[in-house]
């Protein structure tokens, strides 16, 4: 009799039919039997129903639970750790900080807001101008009151800043555009033009003063008046702001320090120096702001793929509507060259889609009726009509943007260190300036020289270059990753990737395609390959198992005619016995052949894959090898990892022979096979103990215990919500080239961040030393402040365009 049910007939002792499938099923069904709650910092869930946490504590996921009181620094650190780990509780809302222009001021604002009793945690990201706030449940309903407090705090530090709630549809580059547009209607464009007019007027008067001074061979009343007028035009607003801030207790404010330095130069009679320093300070600030704005906009352009409008198909034709108004089941028209605006399904037309903006994969993908399409992809050829499945808020482009913005808010250790260092640096330099002005003067009596030297110290005492350049470098790295379909969880993930010494990979779905295919046919006796495939496919044609499907698919691709068996019997753990017109036929494993006393003396398997033996009328007819296909780019990706001096290892539940064959083909150095999920975690710990920090690359949430146990967990996949939530890094495409690319970006980002820090500190230290030696001027000090900041910004943005 014929049995069309899918019995497991190739491998006894396991319901999975064979060992490769055993691995695949078990890796996708991870169960916890300990009955305890597992610590996992990403709050991911496995099929056990428990909440898991990283068994190995990530350095960037620490949070305080000691219950003791902490000082202000520990308090702020605690807030940041909670934000990084997702353990912070409370009601969240996001504000936009219009006109925020100083990274150091942003750090002060964040610190002051975190001190409010209603706040659980707050993080202000200068790169995106976003303030993310978690308020305590008992403060619910007081958001408007808190917003007013935020405004007071921020205005007291930087008067031009305007704090406002961010709307749901106002994100990314559109938030920047909207804030600029709103400000333009009021004062922004006039302020920019006024700023430039002041600089030009002040520069002309300064030049006139210099010419007059050289013509008359010294200072005159007219020359002094010109210098004073020039100074008032260039520095009047800065001095007024400094006085206002001084009344609020801000002694080490940049405006105050610059005012003190230049007024001090006036006091010792160095009028040209005072005006020139203020002039070049204003020029430096102008170009620094332009560089930061340009950098921010370039990064957001790279990651914000959301449409502003979509073309809605109606009964009477088409019309354009705002993208946020499109609803599920609406039909949208996508013309060639347009981006897919929202996640949906093709209902009319055929085209090829460039998915590289989302996945980084350069090869276009065919899309036709019934295919799901992802927002952000580019329609390259034919016209399509798509049915909306997800609104803008829930489409892939918004989820990617959210991921990038969340990542930007997650500050790496170096950023937190620089923020703390800046609080010490400025008072230290000011104290050094005071000491330089008094002590040598008392000894030498040359007060003018040493006061001038002290003033150069004041000019370079602002830490803006340091505070600005590090987060911008990491934000550029996050943007560079998103362009390649790599989503970093944050700066902490990038920082952790830089320390990785070993990349540990799952096999199925990571190194291999995860799809079984017929790899080889070995005929015996007088049978041909086509006959062996036909006979085996006749027995497997009704199977729903991956092995059976792969055999049937191969036969149909060759247009072979398949016969229905007169009777068919499946033998559990062995294979199939059937009666065909050509006689009794067997298809299965070695145990089946041994059961029916088939002579296998002339057969030995030397190739990678699962064998399906075929016998007819008591004689061995052939063998089919079925295997999961190794990804074509796997070997090259592993080679690139070796070039980065990173050890590669593979953990799999498959047979050792199969695992070694895959490792041999790809170049993976260490192989650990026949592992249960809990065994993988144990083996991962061993690898970490022997090699150092490890990155585990798996196929998503299903590898939760091992992802949790790694220093960096990376999910291969299409960017599903669960994977994005669970992993430190998400590869939107399953291409293995993303693994070395992510590490390369991380190394480049960390290298550039430290370059900025070392460069800024070295230049400032050099100017201080030259000043003490009598060779530095305030002009050099201005370069050490504004000039260095601008160069650090430009250095940071090159990550976005680097070749890897």
């Amino acid at each position: 009799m014929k049995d069309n049910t899918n019995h497991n007939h190739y491998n006894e002792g396991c319901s999975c039919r064979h060992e490769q499938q055993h691995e695949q099923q078990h890796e996708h069904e991870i169960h916890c039997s300990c009955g305890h709650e597992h610590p996992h910092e990403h709050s991911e869930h496995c099929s056990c129903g428990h909440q898991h946490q990283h068994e190995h504590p990530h350095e960037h996921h620490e949070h305080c639970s000691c219950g003791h009181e902490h000082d202000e620094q520990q308090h702020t650190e605690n807030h940041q750790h909670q934000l990084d780990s997702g353990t912070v509780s409370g009601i969240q809302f996001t504000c936009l900080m219009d006109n925020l222009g100083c990274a150091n001021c942003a750090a002060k604002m964040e610190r002051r807001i975190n001190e409010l009793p209603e706040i659980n945690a707050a993080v202000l990201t200068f790169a995106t101008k976003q303030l993310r706030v978690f308020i305590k449940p008992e403060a619910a309903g007081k958001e408007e009151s808190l917003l007013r407090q935020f405004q007071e705090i921020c205005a007291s530090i930087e008067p031009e800043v305007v704090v406002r709630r961010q709307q749901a549809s106002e994100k990314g580059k559109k938030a920047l555009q909207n804030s600029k547009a709103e400000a333009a209607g009021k004062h922004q464009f006039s302020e920019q033009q006024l700023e430039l007019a002041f600089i030009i007027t002040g520069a002309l008067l300064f030049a006139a003063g210099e010419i007059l001074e050289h013509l008359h061979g010294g200072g005159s009343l007219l020359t002094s008046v010109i210098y004073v007028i020039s100074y008032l035009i260039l520095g009047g607003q800065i001095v007024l702001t400094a006085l206002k801030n001084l009344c609020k207790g801000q002694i080490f404010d940049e405006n105050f320090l610059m005012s003190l330095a230049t007024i001090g130069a006036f006091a010792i009679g160095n009028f040209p120096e005072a005006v020139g320093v203020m002039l070049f300070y204003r020029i430096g600030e102008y170009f620094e702001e332009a560089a930061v704005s340009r950098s921010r906009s370039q990064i957001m352009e790279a990651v914000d793929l959301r449409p502003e409008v979509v073309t809605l198909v109606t009964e009477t034709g088409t019309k354009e509507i705002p993208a946020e108004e499109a609803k599920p089941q609406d039909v949208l028209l996508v013309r060639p060259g347009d981006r897919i605006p929202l996640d949906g399904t093709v209902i009319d037309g055929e085209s090829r889609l460039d998915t590289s903006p989302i996945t980084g994969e350069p090869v276009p993908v065919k899309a036709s009726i019934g295919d799901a399409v992802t927002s952000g992809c580019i329609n390259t050829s034919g016209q399509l009509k798509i049915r909306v499945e997800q609104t803008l808020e829930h489409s892939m482009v918004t989820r990617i943007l959210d991921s990038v913005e969340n990542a930007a808010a997650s500050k790496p250790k170096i950023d937190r260190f620089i923020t703390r260092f800046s609080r010490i640096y400025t008072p230290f330099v000011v104290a050094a300036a005071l000491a330089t002005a008094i002590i040598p003067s008392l000894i030498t009596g040359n007060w003018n020289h040493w006061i001038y030297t002290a003033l150069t110290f004041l000019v370079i005492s602002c830490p803006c270059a340091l505070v600005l350049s590090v987060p911008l470098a990491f934000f550029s790295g996050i943007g560079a990753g998103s362009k390649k379909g790599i989503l970093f969880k944050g700066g902490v993930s990038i920082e952790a990737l830089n320390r990785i010494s070993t990349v540990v990979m799952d096999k199925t779905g990571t190194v291999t395609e995860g799809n079984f295919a017929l790899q080889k046919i070995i005929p015996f006796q007088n049978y041909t390959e086509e006959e062996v495939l036909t006979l085996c496919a006749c027995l497997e044609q009704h199977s729903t198992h991956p092995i059976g499907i792969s055999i049937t698919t191969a036969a149909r691709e060759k247009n072979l005619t398949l016969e229905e068996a007169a009777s068919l019997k499946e033998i559990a753990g062995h294979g199939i016995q059937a009666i065909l017109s050509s006689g009794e036929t067997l298809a299965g494993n070695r145990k089946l052949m041994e059961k029916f006393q088939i002579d296998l003396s002339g057969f030995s398997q030397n190739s990678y894959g699962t064998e399906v033996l075929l016998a007819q009328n008591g004689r061995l007819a052939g063998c089919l090898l079925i295997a999961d296909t190794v990804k074509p780019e796997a070997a090259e990706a592993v080679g690139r990892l070796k070039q980065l001096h990173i050890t590669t290892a593979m953990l799999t539940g498959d047979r050792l022979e199969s695992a070694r064959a895959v490792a041999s083909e790809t170049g993976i150095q260490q192989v650990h096979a026949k592992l249960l999920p809990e065994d993988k975690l144990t083996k991962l710990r061993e690898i970490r103990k022997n090699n150092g920090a490890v990155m585990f690359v798996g196929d998503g949430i299903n590898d939760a215990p091992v992802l949790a146990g790694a220093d960096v967990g990376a999910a291969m996949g299409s960017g599903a919500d669960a994977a994005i939530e669970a992993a430190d890094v998400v590869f939107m495409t399953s291409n293995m080239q993303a693994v070395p690319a992510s590490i390369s970006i991380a190394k480049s980002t960390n290298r550039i961040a430290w370059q900025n820090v070392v460069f800024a500190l070295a230049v400032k230290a050099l100017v201080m030393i030259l000043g003490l030696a009598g060779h530095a001027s305030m002009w050099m000090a201005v370069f050490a402040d504004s000039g260095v900041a601008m160069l650090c910004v430009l250095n940071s943005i090159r990550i976005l365009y680097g070749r890897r």
Side-chain angles (χ1 to χ4, degrees):
M1 76 179 262
K2 182 168 68 177
D3 183 358
N4 292 338
T5 61
N6 180 30
H7 292 288
N8 303 313
H9 50 257
Y10 282 131
N11 195 0
E12 61 183 0
C14 172
S15 60
C16 305
R17 196 173 172 180
H18 67 97
E19 291 180 353
Q20 282 182 299
Q21 183 64 11
H22 186 139
E23 176 207 8
Q24 193 174 32
Q25 289 186 4
H26 281 286
E27 285 185 348
H28 288 264
E29 294 180 2
I30 299 171
H31 295 277
C32 170
S33 59
C34 64
H36 295 88
E37 185 178 353
H38 300 272
H40 187 278
E41 318 242 23
H42 301 301
S43 299
E44 59 196 345
H45 297 271
C46 73
S47 56
C48 66
H50 297 296
Q51 189 175 21
H52 291 268
Q53 275 189 354
H54 274 292
E55 205 284 335
H56 177 71
H58 288 201
E59 292 180 28
H60 55 273
H61 293 272
E62 305 163 359
H63 67 281
C64 175
S65 59
C66 64
H68 299 299
E69 291 186 4
H70 299 273
D71 61 24
E72 181 185 342
Q73 177 181 317
Q74 289 174 312
H75 184 67
T76 305
E77 285 280 296
N78 185 38
H79 284 170
Q80 184 62 49
H81 287 315
Q82 288 179 322
L83 283 164
D84 291 344
S85 64
T87 60
V88 67
S89 60
I91 302 164
Q92 181 185 5
F93 67 94
T94 304
C95 301
L96 287 176
M97 315 290 284
D98 293 338
N99 305 322
L100 179 64
C102 172
N104 192 39
C105 295
K108 295 177 185 176
M109 295 172 192
E110 178 185 275
R111 190 164 60 250
R112 292 269 301 276
I113 291 171
N114 267 312
E115 292 170 2
L116 294 175
E118 298 89 350
I119 302 300
N120 265 344
V123 59
L124 176 52
T125 309
F126 181 74
T128 58
K129 294 190 177 182
Q130 286 182 325
L131 171 66
R132 292 170 181 259
V133 183
F134 291 83
I135 63 175
K136 295 177 180 177
E138 55 266 29
K142 298 181 181 178
E143 287 87 347
E144 292 305 316
S145 173
L146 286 171
L147 200 61
R148 288 192 293 272
Q149 291 186 62
F150 299 162
Q151 179 63 58
E152 290 173 7
I153 289 171
C154 296
S156 71
I157 297 172
E158 197 171 352
E160 299 83 10
V161 170
V162 177
V163 184
R164 60 190 176 87
R165 287 286 292 271
Q166 177 176 286
Q167 303 302 316
S169 60
E170 189 181 27
K171 286 180 172 289
K173 66 185 179 193
K174 293 176 181 58
L176 299 178
Q177 292 167 353
N178 291 344
S179 65
K180 287 178 183 177
E182 286 182 17
K186 300 174 186 175
H187 58 271
Q188 182 69 22
F189 278 121
S190 60
E191 271 196 5
Q192 285 182 348
Q193 291 170 353
L194 198 60
E195 172 97 358
L196 193 57
F198 282 162
I199 291 173
I200 292 172
T201 305
L204 291 173
L205 287 171
F206 173 69
E210 286 284 287
I211 291 170
L212 284 174
E213 188 169 1
H214 283 86
L215 287 176
H216 293 288
S220 66
L221 180 62
L222 178 61
T223 305
S224 299
V225 169
I226 290 174
Y227 279 138
V228 170
I229 294 172
S230 176
Y231 181 83
L232 290 175
I233 291 172
L234 292 167
Q237 185 62 43
I238 291 173
V239 173
L240 285 174
T241 303
L243 290 173
K244 289 178 185 177
N245 291 345
L246 190 61
C247 295
K248 298 171 186 175
Q250 294 187 44
I251 301 175
F252 298 126
D253 173 75
E254 185 177 26
N255 295 293
F256 173 71
L257 294 170
M258 185 57 63
S259 300
L260 184 62
T262 51
I263 290 173
F266 268 113
I268 61 175
N270 202 334
F271 286 21
E273 193 87 3
V275 178
V277 165
M278 188 61 78
L279 169 63
F280 280 91
Y281 171 73
R282 289 289 296 271
I283 291 173
E285 289 291 295
Y286 184 84
F287 282 106
E288 180 188 329
E289 184 179 346
V292 171
S293 177
R294 178 65 176 164
S295 302
R296 183 187 289 118
S297 123
Q298 286 176 328
I299 295 168
M300 295 316 297
E301 286 284 345
V303 300
D304 190 356
L305 306 175
R306 298 172 309 141
E308 295 182 2
V309 296
V310 295
T311 304
L312 179 68
V313 178
T314 64
E315 294 179 357
T316 57
T318 61
K319 66 174 182 178
E320 289 192 344
I321 62 171
E324 56 265 23
E325 293 181 9
K327 305 181 296 296
Q329 304 306 313
D330 282 350
V331 176
L332 306 180
L333 183 67
V334 184
R335 298 181 178 89
D338 290 348
R339 290 190 188 275
I340 303 297
L342 305 172
D343 294 356
T345 304
V346 178
I347 61 171
D348 183 48
E350 184 175 303
S351 183
R352 298 190 77 80
L353 304 181
D354 176 7
T355 64
S356 59
I358 301 297
T359 66
E361 181 62 53
V363 180
V365 176
K366 182 180 178 182
S368 55
I369 294 174
D371 290 340
V373 290
T374 302
S375 53
C377 299
I378 301 172
N379 180 22
T380 61
S381 50
Q383 184 169 280
L384 297 175
K385 288 182 181 178
I386 66 168
R387 181 179 64 247
V388 176
E389 303 293 347
Q390 298 284 356
T391 60
L392 179 63
E393 184 180 0
H394 297 100
S395 285
M396 179 62 73
V397 284
T398 301
R399 282 155 49 200
I400 289 174
L401 179 61
D402 286 341
S403 179
V404 170
E405 289 181 343
N406 289 334
S410 176
K411 298 181 180 180
K413 278 189 172 183
I414 181 178
D415 193 356
R416 299 200 288 268
F417 164 74
I418 289 300
T419 302
R420 294 196 306 270
F421 176 77
S422 67
R423 296 172 64 186
I424 302 168
Y425 167 80
T426 301
F428 172 80
V429 177
V430 171
L434 189 62
T436 302
I438 296 173
I439 298 173
S441 299
L442 291 173
I443 297 172
T444 65
N446 190 354
W447 287 88
N448 274 14
H449 171 74
W450 291 110
I451 288 175
Y452 179 83
T453 302
L455 294 177
T456 65
F457 284 20
L458 291 179
V459 173
I460 64 174
S461 61
C462 182
C464 270
L466 292 170
V467 179
L468 169 65
S469 60
V470 171
L472 195 59
F474 278 87
F475 189 43
S476 297
I478 291 166
S482 67
K483 286 177 67 176
K484 296 178 177 293
I486 302 167
L487 298 185
F488 296 105
K489 187 121 184 166
V492 286
S493 301
I494 295 178
E495 201 170 46
L497 270 172
N498 188 53
R499 299 191 299 269
I500 293 301
S501 61
T502 305
V503 171
V504 180
M505 292 164 274
D506 174 38
K507 182 175 77 68
T508 306
T510 301
V511 182
T512 64
E513 299 283 3
N515 298 320
F516 289 101
L518 177 62
Q519 303 291 339
K520 189 176 183 181
I521 302 173
I522 306 170
F524 292 100
Q525 311 299 334
N526 295 322
Y527 290 90
T528 64
E529 289 187 9
E530 189 173 284
E531 288 172 338
V532 170
L533 178 58
T534 302
L535 290 171
C536 200
C538 290
L539 274 63
E540 294 281 4
Q541 60 183 308
H542 298 293
S543 173
T544 58
H545 191 280
I547 285 184
I549 291 172
S550 65
I551 293 172
T552 307
T553 300
R556 286 176 179 158
E557 286 175 353
K558 294 179 179 292
N559 297 316
L560 301 178
T561 302
L562 304 184
E563 175 188 348
E564 288 286 352
S567 68
L568 186 145
K569 178 182 178 182
E570 295 203 21
I571 303 171
H574 291 70
I576 301 175
Q577 176 189 20
I579 303 298
L580 300 175
S581 60
S582 52
E584 182 186 50
T585 307
L586 304 171
N589 57 23
R590 288 175 177 263
K591 292 179 182 179
L592 180 68
M593 300 297 117
E594 291 168 359
K595 180 180 177 70
F596 285 86
Q597 299 180 344
I598 305 298
D599 182 13
L600 299 178
S601 58
F603 170 73
S604 63
Q605 180 188 346
N606 297 316
S607 302
Y608 153 59
T610 298
E611 60 187 29
V612 178
L613 299 171
L614 179 74
Q616 192 168 55
N617 298 324
R619 293 192 307 163
L620 184 65
C623 175
L624 287 77
L625 290 176
I626 313 297
D628 189 3
T629 308
V630 174
K631 291 180 180 178
E633 78 281 358
E636 185 180 350
V638 171
R640 287 185 61 196
L641 288 173
K642 289 179 180 177
Q643 290 174 4
L644 293 170
H645 307 291
I646 289 174
T647 304
T648 53
M650 183 168 64
L651 304 182
T652 177
D654 200 359
R655 294 182 302 115
L656 182 59
E657 295 79 7
S658 297
R660 281 178 174 168
V662 172
S664 175
E665 186 173 341
T666 57
I668 294 173
Q669 294 159 290
Q670 299 178 17
V671 179
H672 306 281
K674 300 191 74 173
L675 300 175
L676 295 175
E678 56 268 28
D679 298 330
K680 290 184 179 182
L681 188 54
T682 303
K683 188 60 66 175
L684 186 80
R685 291 173 184 157
E686 291 179 11
I687 294 172
R688 181 194 293 110
K689 184 177 179 181
N690 295 330
N691 298 357
V694 298
M695 173 187 188
F696 179 77
V697 186
D699 54 359
I701 192 68
N702 307 298
D703 289 310
V706 202
L707 281 170
D711 295 273
V712 177
M716 282 279 190
S718 58
D721 288 336
I724 290 176
E725 289 298 322
D728 298 304
V729 184
V730 177
F731 303 131
M732 301 297 288
T733 175
S734 60
N735 194 306
M736 273 195 66
Q737 293 283 17
V739 180
S742 66
I743 296 174
S744 179
I745 290 171
K747 288 184 177 295
S748 178
T749 300
N750 280 275
R751 183 171 60 251
I752 286 177
W754 278 108
Q755 282 175 2
N756 289 341
V757 171
V758 172
F759 176 66
L761 288 176
V763 171
K764 289 176 183 288
L766 180 62
V767 171
M768 291 177 69
I769 293 169
L770 289 174
L772 290 172
H775 300 297
S777 65
M778 280 199 286
W779 302 73
M780 294 173 65
V782 170
F783 170 77
D785 179 38
S786 298
V788 166
M790 187 169 64
L791 290 176
C792 287
V793 169
L794 296 175
N795 190 42
S796 298
I797 199 66
R798 70 188 177 91
I799 302 171
L800 199 63
Y801 302 102
R803 290 186 177 181
R804 288 166 197 88

